[in-house]
Amino acid sequence: MNQKIARFFEERRPQTPCLVLDLDIVEQNYNALETALPDARIFYAVKANPAAEVLSLLTRLGSAFDTASVPEIQMVLATGCPAERISYGNTIKKEADIRRAYELGVRLFAFDSEPELEKIARAAPGARVFCRILTSGEGAEWPLSRKFGCDLDMARELLLKAKDMNVQPYGVSFHVGSQQKDLKQWDLAISQVAQLFRELEAVGVELGMINLGGGFPTRYRSDVPASAAYGQSIFDSLRRHFGNRIPETIVEPGRGMVGSAGVIESEVVLVSRKSANDSKRWVYLDIGKFGGLAETMDEAIQYPIEVLAEEMGEESFDPETEAVVLAGPTCDSADVLYEKAEYKMPLALKAGDRVRIHATGAYTTTYSAVCFNGFAPLQQYCI
Ligand SMILES: *Cc1c(COP(=O)(O)O)cnc(C)c1O
């Protein structure tokens, strides 16, 4: 357990549920990625955790930013980050928003279809554009496939078309899926991109950039490869497929930058059984799917959860544990966190006890509902 975060909880006793984010860990994660991929430019995926403190820290460290909307662009600009360090990476944008981003100084835009490319050419004349290709999302715990990207034939056709439009065909992007633990997935995508680069070069389009996306993991209940392993594997792949003509590279870490920096504290609201001989107790927390833990959908992301023994009182504490179903506090039956995944909690657990949900720095505050059932959005403290 992170001592700085533990001390904050003990001294401040904040109301639950809340997320405490350690900015030192964000800085460590940034440095580790930079060391692992020394030639790649880091574009932090703002959606993972857009807290002003996180964005300011990363601006100071020299990071660039992957954004998905005008408000995200404005949040980044508010930290003093120059617009040249911002990419508008969403492939689904209103033309008015493209124009607004362009007015704000953004010159790098993603697309994966012809109508989107046309919008960019009209609203952001002269901008650099990159085409996102489809990936399978295989091996990822939170795949992003299908919705984003186009196939290689279409990408080639569109980048060729872009040459004769009012934009600069600049590169290709992909995302191997979030929480990607299979290093080979980058190699598969990089080999396809290299092929695309060669085919386009043959018809007079010289691309300069490959955007390797996000996917760098956070350690949840099981180990993940270290940043260095990702860096080595990606570098080897670039060498293999591009030889000594490796283009400029970009990475867009979201989860890998902030996931491990956060801990949520939550209070047990109720422990109950559905029948006298129910084999599993139901443990209802004051946070659920609608309070920020949306990534428990299909039990995809399994956070490590720690019961605070000292909270339970010396006498009543029984170390014996038993399987539980974990659920949130709202009146929606979809608000169950884990039923199939095995989570065990002490038999002595009761309402009022506290639990800590670890590795929750990414994709929690932004996924929290505004006021479902009257519950306030997830509070965050950056320390
Ligand atoms: C969400 C997103 C990311 C970040 O992905 P992680 O798996 O969290 O690193 C990067 N790039 C794009 C385009 C995204 O949509």
Side-chain angles (χ1 to χ4, degrees), residues 343-373:
Y343 277 84
K344 287 182 166 179
M345 289 194 172
L347 283 167
L349 190 74
K350 60 184 189 313
D353 290 338
R354 289 187 176 212
V355 302
R356 288 196 186 141
I357 310 171
H358 293 270
T360 40
Y363 303 118
T364 49
T365 55
T366 40
Y367 276 158
S368 159
V370 174
C371 194
F372 181 39
N373 272 168

Side-chain angles (χ1 to χ4, degrees), residues 60-264:
R60 185 167 60 72
L61 294 174
S63 184
F65 297 88
D66 168 49
T67 62
S69 66
V70 170
E72 280 192 355
I73 292 168
Q74 288 167 326
M75 285 188 266
V76 172
L77 290 173
T79 68
C81 178
E84 310 82 89
R85 282 203 241 154
I86 298 175
S87 160
Y88 199 163
N90 192 343
T91 52
I92 306 149
K93 305 175 283 302
K94 289 182 182 171
E95 189 163 330
D97 291 338
I98 298 172
R99 189 165 292 115
R100 183 77 189 111
Y102 186 77
E103 284 165 7
L104 290 169
V106 177
R107 294 292 181 271
L108 183 59
F109 295 83
F111 71 95
D112 64 4
S113 68
E114 186 163 6
E116 189 72 16
L117 177 61
E118 284 164 354
K119 280 190 238 169
I120 299 169
R122 283 192 298 267
R128 289 169 156 181
V129 294
F130 58 94
C131 185
R132 180 156 168 182
I133 59 166
L134 277 166
T135 58
S136 72
E138 205 177 301
E141 288 181 9
W142 193 260
L144 299 166
S145 57
R146 294 220 340 252
K147 179 169 172 183
F148 307 103
C150 61
D151 76 7
L152 292 171
D153 291 339
M154 185 177 279
R156 188 177 55 240
E157 201 178 296
L158 293 178
L159 286 161
L160 182 57
K161 224 170 219 153
K163 190 168 78 122
D164 300 319
M165 295 168 76
N166 203 5
V167 287
Q168 186 187 339
Y170 183 51
V172 177
S173 75
F174 60 79
H175 194 304
V176 292
S178 201
Q179 185 71 3
Q180 178 57 266
K181 299 201 276 193
D182 179 4
L183 302 175
K184 286 194 306 293
Q185 296 301 318
W186 273 272
D187 184 57
L188 289 173
I190 289 168
S191 74
Q192 294 181 325
V193 174
Q195 174 71 18
L196 202 52
F197 267 60
R198 281 192 295 272
E199 288 170 6
L200 280 163
E201 195 178 6
V203 291
V205 181
E206 218 164 306
L207 298 177
M209 183 275 285
I210 165 165
N211 179 339
L212 305 159
F216 307 98
T218 289
R219 188 188 190 286
Y220 294 112
R221 294 213 294 176
S222 55
D223 278 331
V224 296
S227 312
Y230 285 84
Q232 189 64 51
S233 169
I234 287 171
F235 179 75
D236 290 347
S237 174
L238 288 167
R239 262 272 170 275
R240 191 155 54 245
H241 300 294
F242 286 94
N244 56 9
R245 293 181 63 211
I246 297 179
E248 176 192 339
T249 50
I250 281 177
V251 285
E252 299 175 330
R255 187 186 306 279
M257 189 76 84
V258 290
S260 63
V263 178
I264 286 173

Side-chain angles (χ1 to χ4, degrees), residues 284-332:
Y284 300 91
L285 302 176
D286 64 1
I287 187 170
K289 275 204 160 66
F290 301 98
L293 304 180
E295 287 199 316
T296 57
M297 200 189 294
D298 298 326
E299 313 197 12
I301 297 296
Q302 299 185 2
Y303 300 107
I305 303 182
E306 170 199 16
V307 175
L308 293 180
E310 69 271 25
E311 289 278 326
M312 301 175 64
E314 296 289 324
E315 307 96 83
S316 67
F317 183 67
D318 179 347
E320 196 180 338
T321 60
E322 207 181 55
V324 296
V325 175
L326 277 165
T330 66
C331 296
D332 189 313

